[in-house]
Amino acid sequence: MGILNDRVVIITGAGGGLGAAHARVLAAEGASVLVNDINQSAAQKVVDEIIAAGGKAAVNTSDITNYEDSARAVQQAVDTWGDLHCVLNNAGVNRDRMFASMTEAEWDTIMSVHLKGHFCITSHAVQYWRNQSKEGKSVNARIINTTSGAGLQGSIGQSNYAAAKAGIAALTLNQAAELG
């Protein structure tokens, strides 16, 4: 028995790195984990590892930077396990470049994945939880947003990444104040 038995979690960017580590740990603690990643084979590998260890997991390839497509992740979690209790926003990319050489595309890619991605999928989860609350159901949910020290201190060659991570920190503070 784990501390997350009967909890359903979506983890974005869970096909590798920190997201995959989050997925393995939360599943080991009993959570049913929707492994979201645009790389289906990477996500499937993490799901296979979780299932082999006795956990519950499924692959989701929704593009979290697309508002409509990100809704599929929330719907899949609810359809598969009957509820949703947590969105762990971990997806991220890097486009390292000194500010003077950075392209608009390098800036936009980081903002899209880090900030818009956190917004899109979480917006759908919050709407789901709000509807549950309006129906009189008790909601015990969490939003976990991954950020970085780069957002607080800056990071040479990563002005786009640092700005996005600072934005995630501010978003998290506002979400806590508004949704708590």
Side-chain angles (χ1 to χ4, degrees):
M1 300 303 270
I3 62 171
L4 298 174
N5 288 342
D6 301 320
R7 304 289 281 174
V8 178
V9 180
I10 298 171
I11 304 173
T12 68
L18 186 57
H22 287 313
R24 289 183 201 102
V25 169
L26 273 61
E29 286 296 332
S32 298
V33 179
L34 191 66
V35 176
N36 166 267
D37 203 290
I38 57 172
N39 182 331
Q40 183 171 1
S41 63
Q44 187 64 58
K45 181 180 177 196
V46 174
V47 167
D48 291 346
E49 292 171 3
I50 290 170
I51 291 171
K56 297 177 189 170
V59 171
N60 174 273
T61 58
S62 295
D63 177 356
I64 61 161
T65 69
N66 178 290
Y67 192 77
E68 290 176 7
D69 196 29
S70 66
R72 283 191 319 107
V74 172
Q75 192 61 54
Q76 182 182 345
V78 173
D79 289 348
T80 303
W81 295 296
D83 209 346
L84 176 64
H85 303 99
C86 178
V87 173
L88 195 163
N89 287 304
N90 175 75
V93 295
N94 285 318
R95 298 293 184 267
D96 295 350
R97 180 102 48 225
M98 296 298 281
F99 184 80
S101 302
M102 186 172 294
T103 67
E104 180 181 11
E106 291 165 337
W107 179 269
D108 288 349
T109 296
I110 298 299
M111 294 305 144
S112 181
V113 173
H114 291 269
L115 281 173
K116 187 176 181 188
H118 279 51
F119 165 76
C120 289
I121 195 165
T122 305
S123 173
H124 294 293
V126 166
Q127 289 172 30
Y128 170 75
W129 295 325
R130 183 185 225 183
N131 288 338
Q132 282 190 312
S133 181
K134 286 180 177 182
E135 292 172 4
K137 297 177 183 172
S138 177
V139 176
N140 184 8
R142 303 288 184 273
I143 300 165
I144 302 170
N145 294 328
T146 303
T147 190
S148 165
L152 301 175
Q153 302 145 336
S155 181
I156 303 270
Q158 293 186 316
S159 58
N160 50 2
Y161 180 81
K165 291 302 188 178
I168 290 168
L171 174 65
T172 303
L173 292 171
N174 261 47
Q175 286 172 330
E178 291 181 19
L179 303 172

